[in-house]
Amino acid sequence: MTDPLRSTLGIALAGMEAQSARLRVAAENVANSESTGKTPGAEPYTRKVLTFERAFNDEVGAEVVRAGSIVTHRSPYRIEHMPGHPAADGRGLVKHPNVNPMVEVADIREANRSYIANLHVAKKAREIVSMTIELMRGT
Amino acid sequence: MADGGIMGLAWRHNRWLAERQVAIASNIANINTPRYQARDTPPFELTNRANAVHAAHMRLDQSSFRAFVDHPEQQAGRVHSGNTLGLEHQLATLADTHQSYAMNAGAIRAFHRMIMASSKG
């Protein structure tokens, strides 16, 4: 049977890794929020979304969270009338990414909050281990 | 004193607290996982009673520690994704677990010092 404190650390670490991946995807969306195509009528950057899934980790001995697949968001592109743009179609309309920077910033803040919570769990588990070692030292 | 007495009780409680931390860590790690149900260990009173049955054989019933239960009271807090977790509640439970562990460790240390002091005469 796996030591529960070791399992706790493994679970918290997996949570931090998943939130890091989420931050990376959100950062990519923000960086590409204005990335249009280069040829007339070309598709722009499409917003990416990271999914989370559960998986049993034999080393940890518990079910951990894992960053799943990165899928594209199905919301429509933003259309703007820019006749001189390289990506403008016959009507002068340019497709812009379906990325809302405010939504991404909110997602980043949420990922940050979850990352800190997982870090706090890892910290508390380490403190308990230290407490147990101190117990042996004190006696 | 087949069940270990006060120090045995404190040790078992710490074991239960460590298992509870696994449940809390799993809950916090899955804070954004859709349809994840909040988990918790059975109350210590139940696990301690189960262990008392086996105390004479000095063997713990490990299955009682690993019996995670859902949080029925958190069903009302189900969000759009199906997740029933509340981060603040989990962090508060984590702090409570940590504090209880510290108290038990202090109690074990104090009792051990008493035993050592009495054995020295």
Side-chain angles (χ1 to χ4, degrees):
Chain A
M1 187 181 159
T2 315
D3 174 41
L5 291 176
R6 192 160 171 249
S7 296
T8 302
L9 277 169
I11 292 167
L13 179 65
M16 286 192 284
E17 284 177 354
Q19 296 302 330
S20 289
R22 184 183 177 187
L23 269 170
R24 187 190 68 77
V25 171
E28 190 179 332
N29 288 338
V30 169
N32 287 287
S33 60
E34 292 297 326
S35 298
T36 60
K38 293 178 185 175
T39 55
E43 297 287 299
Y45 173 86
T46 307
R47 183 179 182 237
K48 294 192 175 83
V49 177
L50 179 69
T51 59
F52 289 112
E53 58 188 30
R54 286 177 282 171
F56 190 84
N57 187 312
D58 291 324
E59 193 182 333
V60 172
E63 203 174 48
V64 300
V65 68
R66 192 174 62 181
S69 55
I70 298 175
V71 298
T72 53
H73 203 263
R74 289 179 288 181
S75 58
Y77 297 121
R78 184 165 42 95
I79 308 289
E80 287 188 14
H81 182 69
M82 300 169 75
H85 197 279
D89 59 12
R91 293 173 294 169
L93 299 174
V94 177
K95 291 180 187 173
H96 284 260
N98 55 347
V99 176
N100 185 339
M102 294 303 296
V103 170
E104 300 307 320
V105 166
D107 199 25
I108 286 169
R109 288 176 75 93
E110 184 65 28
N112 190 43
R113 182 171 171 250
S114 299
Y115 186 96
I116 290 171
N118 280 297
L119 187 62
H120 190 67
V121 169
K123 186 182 163 190
K124 289 297 171 189
R126 284 186 59 186
E127 283 178 10
I128 284 180
V129 171
S130 297
M131 238 186 280
T132 309
I133 294 170
E134 278 296 321
L135 186 67
M136 291 186 283
R137 193 179 296 162
T139 56
Chain B
M1 226 167 44
D3 62 349
I6 295 290
M7 289 176 75
L9 177 64
W11 178 84
R12 285 196 301 276
H13 193 222
N14 272 357
R15 182 88 174 126
W16 176 81
L17 288 169
E19 290 288 341
R20 197 174 192 208
Q21 266 219 320
V22 175
I24 295 167
S26 185
N27 290 342
I28 291 176
N30 285 282
I31 199 79
N32 299 118
T33 306
R35 292 175 298 281
Y36 182 83
Q37 303 289 314
R39 297 172 174 178
D40 199 356
T41 49
F44 175 66
E45 294 77 24
L46 291 179
T47 59
N48 197 36
R49 209 175 300 140
N51 292 333
V53 172
H54 298 283
H57 303 282
M58 294 301 288
R59 184 178 66 86
L60 294 172
D61 183 7
Q62 299 299 337
S63 62
S64 64
F65 283 121
R66 287 282 175 178
F68 291 120
V69 297
D70 289 337
H71 262 295
E73 61 271 17
Q74 287 194 8
Q75 296 299 323
R78 184 185 296 272
V79 296
H80 180 70
S81 67
N83 196 302
T84 62
L85 290 170
L87 183 59
E88 292 77 10
H89 175 82
Q90 298 301 320
L91 290 173
T93 308
L94 180 70
D96 185 51
T97 304
H98 189 261
Q99 188 182 10
S100 298
Y101 198 98
M103 284 172 60
N104 285 336
I108 291 171
R109 191 184 299 118
F111 275 104
H112 188 269
R113 280 182 185 157
M114 283 167 57
I115 291 167
M116 293 304 291
S118 61
S119 65
K120 282 177 187 171

